Structure formats: C-alpha cells, structure tokens
Amino acid sequence: ELLLDRILELLREKQLIKERGKQRTDSTHVLASVRVMNRLELMMETLRAALNDLSEAAPIWLSGIAPAQWFVRYAARIEDTRLPRTEKARAELAEAVGRDGYYLIERLAGEQPDLLKRESVETVRQVWQRHYTRDEAGETQWRKSEELGPAAEAIESPYDREARHSRKRDLVWTGYKVHLTETCDDRLPRLITNVLTRAATEQDVSMTAGIHQSLKKKRLLPARHLVDTGYVDAELLVESEKAYAVELFGPTRLNPSWQTRTGGIDATQFKIDWAKQSASCPESKSSSYWHEYQSKAAGRAVVKIRFSVKDCLACGSRAKCVRAAGAGRSLQVPGRELYEALEKTRGKLASERGREEYKRRAGIEGTISQAVRRGAARRSRYRGMEKTQLQEVAAATGINLLRTINFLGGKMIAKTRVSRFKRLAL
C-alpha cells in the first residue's frame, strides 16, 4: 500500500491526478482461497485442523488423551473422507464430532490451559458455540439450520477465519468484497486512488465514510463522489458534505412501502412545509398531526405525520394511498436536515444534466473488469483479509502504471465494445 500511495503522490506532483476532482467507487466479490464446505464437513475439518496444530505444540500430551477412534475419524482431509448418506447417520456423526470437540477443550482447560489461546483451538470454540448446544447434563445437540446466528459472525473455514459467506441477488460466494475508487476527470488518466478489502457480509453503505477518511489521508478527496445506491443514505449525504466537503452523488434507496412497489402515492409525492410543520398530499389536503422525535432504533431525528381520517375516507385516490379500513394516511420521514439532503440529491439526479453526469459512474465497471482479467481480482491467492488486500493493491498499482504509460503515450481510452449486429442499427 505504501507503494501505491507513493505512486499516487508522484502522479499528483506531475498533475496527472488532482484533489477535489471527480471520483467513482464500486465493489466486487472476491473468492477466498478455501474449500467451500457444508456444516458437517466444517465441523470435522475444524477439529482436524486443531488436532494437527496440537500435534506440533504438544504431541506427547495429545497422543495420551486422544481416543483411538480419532485416528480414523480425523486422519484424512474432509474431501478424502466418505461421509454417511442418510440424514440420521449424518446427524449422529455430527453429534459425535461435537462431543469430541468438547472433550478436547475440557482436557485442554484442565491440563494444558496455555494451549487454549492457540488460534486453531479458539476456532473450535467459536464454531462449536454456533453449531452446537449443551445442556446441564453435558449432552451435546446439533443445532438446526434455522437456529444458527447471523452469517456475519460465522467462520466458514478453519484456514481463513475472516472469510464470510454472502449473497448478492443470484451470486453466492465465500470470501471478501473489494471496493475500488478511481478518478474520472476529463483530460486526465483514470487512476485508482483507493482499495479497500472487507468481509463479504459488510454492506457497501458502511464503507463510504472509511473510503473518504482514507482519501483524506492521501490528500485526494474528490469534490464529487459518484456511487451507486449501496453507498448512499441520508446521514452519509450530510456527513460527507460536513466532514469532508464531498458531494456524495448517487441514487438513494426507495422507500420499501407498498405504495412505492405498486406505483401508488409514495412519500416522495408529499410536500413538506418545515416552517409551518405541515405536509400536503397530491390531492392538496393538509396534515392534521405533526410530531418530531429522536428514533432510538435509527438514532436520528424522525417526523411522524398523519392526515385526517375524514379527508382520506372521502379522497378519490385512497386506493393508491391507504389500505387500512377507517384510517387516514400516515408518513414517517427523517428530520429536516436529512430530508432536504435527500430531496436535493434526488432533484439533481432527476435533471437531464444530473443523469448525464451520473453516467460517469459506469466507468468503474471497466476498471473492475480490467482488475479481474489482469490481476485475478475476484479470486484470492492467499488466506486472510490482510494478504487479500495486498493482492488487490498490487493489481491496482499495476493498472495505474499501465494507464499512466498509455496516457503519456497518447493512447486513447478504449470505448465500450458494440456488437456487429448492434452496429446495423446505429
């Protein structure tokens, strides 16, 4: 990373990259360098990995306490082991493995407490806590899938404790997510300014502030940051402007209400008069109730608005606005500062100029494609987040050098390819 930062510094000195320009960010998945396993395979391989580790740390002690069955059950890697086919036999084996793990931990606690600090043993403890329960009598039970905790906390492999299982629409993977940020100013090369590798389960919206902080340290903060919906929320729109003087430019999330989903009268169609603490609907009816409070769940200012039941019952647009019988329309909107930030961004994106400007964001897809083709960005060669980050930074550094050479050599940026058939319509 120091090399990437040094190259960026040199490029800034040569005026090939500038602060307070335009930048764009997007993310892609990264497959961890581990074998994807089902739950039973994970239990057996986790315990096997711990036994192999303890065989080096305390071989005499382990050989003295290990039951003979262990040398059969955990001798080979899980992919070389033939597991039972029936659900009942698999459940019985899972519980036997669970008892073995608890037995090992108890013996370590009583006889080799210092070895409990080893990473392989700690992994057993964490994996067992998620997948097993134990009653007061010491009976071990295999948890049902629906009883498991959130995936964000789940270890998926004893050989890469930081890799996580995630899903994005139809894509399912175990590993990480890398966030790439690059410049997109006119008449300057497109250069990657920041690389951030995080767990696959961490949402894009939680990365925005960290990306801005990293760019601030490099003295490469943009004036306008083009992102997709995943990186935007009301708080970030305000915070980015206040803390970093960065305009976060991207579509905001749609309200998940049934009105939004079905083309009805959603919250964005109501006009808010903050001075009068009143709202008016598309049918020009004014609200009858206004209450501002601090939401404990969201940790932000919220306004609750209601309309008169009398007005709503007589309204011709009621079917597109209210479903509850005998009730009037109610709204819940963020406080004034957040609401106005959302409206301002939506207004810019709705304009023709805003739509044209936002098209720049799509260019980051080409950078991700180049990183995948030239640097294998979607498949980690190493284990662990730190080493995976190193791989991604190395790919970004190579891309920057290549793009700088091409720019100085007068080589034009390639345009989006158009198929021969599509050209017929142009």
Side-chain angles (χ1 to χ4, degrees):
E1 291 191 54
L2 291 175
L3 176 60
L4 176 61
D5 291 350
R6 178 55 180 158
I7 290 174
L8 291 173
E9 185 177 341
L10 291 172
L11 292 171
R12 184 172 55 245
E13 292 174 2
K14 298 297 182 181
Q15 298 183 344
L16 294 176
I17 188 173
K18 65 179 182 179
E19 189 175 14
R20 297 303 173 185
K22 297 175 182 178
Q23 296 187 34
R24 53 197 178 196
T25 295
D26 204 355
S27 66
T28 190
H29 65 281
V30 183
L31 302 179
S33 183
V34 295
R35 183 178 183 273
V36 177
M37 297 176 284
N38 61 40
R39 290 180 62 200
L40 177 55
E41 291 173 333
L42 174 62
M43 301 303 105
M44 295 185 69
E45 191 63 28
T46 299
L47 186 52
R48 197 185 77 86
L51 293 173
N52 280 332
D53 182 36
L54 293 172
S55 295
E56 292 186 4
I60 298 176
W61 174 82
L62 183 59
S63 63
I65 66 100
Q69 179 62 28
W70 285 15
F71 294 97
V72 177
R73 185 174 292 161
Y74 307 110
R77 291 183 65 90
I78 191 61
E79 59 263 34
D80 299 325
T81 303
R82 181 170 295 179
L83 299 176
R85 293 185 178 182
T86 66
E87 287 297 322
K88 180 180 179 181
R90 282 175 173 264
E92 290 175 352
L93 177 57
E95 293 187 356
V97 174
R99 290 191 293 270
D100 292 344
Y102 283 122
Y103 170 76
L104 177 65
I105 292 172
E106 288 173 352
R107 294 298 295 264
L108 285 169
E111 302 170 24
Q112 299 283 342
D114 289 343
L115 296 180
L116 289 173
K117 301 176 183 178
R118 297 185 73 86
E119 185 176 282
S120 63
V121 177
E122 180 59 28
T123 301
V124 172
R125 296 178 67 170
Q126 291 183 24
V127 171
W128 259 236
Q129 184 176 12
R130 172 177 166 80
H131 293 274
Y132 291 102
T133 60
R134 211 178 187 196
D135 58 25
E136 296 179 356
E139 290 296 322
T140 301
Q141 293 185 338
W142 177 238
R143 289 185 191 270
K144 296 180 180 179
S145 298
E146 57 269 23
E147 298 174 344
L148 301 180
E153 303 171 3
I155 294 175
E156 298 295 332
S157 170
Y159 306 111
D160 190 344
R161 289 162 46 91
E162 296 173 306
R164 293 291 182 266
H165 179 79
S166 188
R167 177 188 296 272
K168 185 176 181 179
R169 294 186 286 274
D170 296 332
L171 177 65
V172 179
W173 80 100
T174 296
Y176 303 97
K177 189 186 291 185
V178 62
H179 304 260
L180 298 179
T181 302
E182 70 170 5
T183 60
C184 54
D185 296 298
D186 294 329
R187 296 183 293 278
L188 287 176
R190 276 49 167 164
L191 299 173
I192 299 173
T193 56
N194 196 71
V195 181
L196 181 62
T197 305
R198 301 300 299 170
T201 50
E202 293 190 40
Q203 299 300 309
D204 292 348
V205 72
S206 65
M207 300 295 107
T208 307
I211 292 170
H212 287 162
Q213 181 61 31
S214 178
L215 292 172
K216 181 180 179 180
K217 290 180 181 178
K218 300 174 184 178
R219 292 182 294 137
L220 284 174
L221 277 170
R224 173 172 279 179
H225 192 181
L226 304 167
V227 294
D228 66 17
T229 307
Y231 292 92
V232 181
D233 66 17
E235 288 89 345
L236 285 169
L237 289 172
V238 174
E239 185 63 24
S240 297
E241 183 67 40
K242 283 185 175 180
Y244 305 103
V246 172
E247 180 189 10
L248 196 60
F249 198 67
T252 59
R253 287 185 175 87
L254 294 175
N255 189 305
S257 67
W258 67 265
Q259 292 95 337
T260 303
R261 296 194 307 271
T262 60
I265 301 175
D266 60 32
T268 62
Q269 298 178 48
F270 289 76
K271 295 180 179 179
I272 308 293
D273 188 329
W274 295 96
K276 296 181 179 180
Q277 294 190 340
S278 176
S280 60
C281 71
E283 298 293 335
S284 301
K285 299 296 182 181
S286 297
S287 59
S288 60
Y289 176 85
W290 178 286
H291 175 57
E292 296 185 37
Y293 64 98
Q294 195 73 18
S295 170
K296 293 182 180 179
R300 67 183 186 186
V302 176
V303 180
K304 187 73 173 180
I305 303 169
R306 295 197 188 101
F307 287 79
S308 165
V309 175
K310 180 180 178 181
D311 287 340
C312 290
L313 287 175
C315 181
S317 300
R318 179 178 174 82
K320 297 191 295 182
C321 190
V322 183
R323 282 180 174 174
R329 179 64 186 267
S330 64
L331 300 174
Q332 183 172 292
V333 299
R336 181 172 185 173
E337 185 178 37
L338 301 182
Y339 183 86
E340 290 181 344
L342 287 170
E343 289 297 292
K344 180 180 177 181
T345 300
R346 288 167 179 161
K348 286 182 178 180
L349 283 165
S351 68
E352 184 177 351
R353 182 177 179 181
R355 289 193 296 270
E356 284 298 314
E357 174 72 3
Y358 187 67
K359 288 179 181 179
R360 290 175 179 263
R361 192 212 66 85
I364 191 67
E365 303 290 349
T367 297
I368 291 174
S369 176
Q370 186 176 12
V372 170
R373 290 181 288 108
R374 295 204 175 233
R378 287 199 179 116
R379 186 177 294 276
S380 179
R381 298 184 178 93
Y382 312 102
R383 289 173 178 171
M385 189 183 300
E386 185 175 353
K387 291 183 179 180
T388 301
Q389 166 76 356
L390 177 62
Q391 172 184 311
E392 303 297 345
V393 169
T397 303
I399 289 173
N400 279 353
L401 291 174
L402 180 62
R403 290 183 172 184
T404 301
I405 292 170
N406 289 340
F407 179 80
L408 295 175
K411 186 175 181 179
M412 300 295 292
I413 298 175
K415 295 183 179 180
T416 302
R417 286 174 293 182
V418 178
S419 69
R420 292 185 295 274
F421 177 69
K422 187 175 180 180
R423 289 198 202 105
L424 298 178
L426 298 179

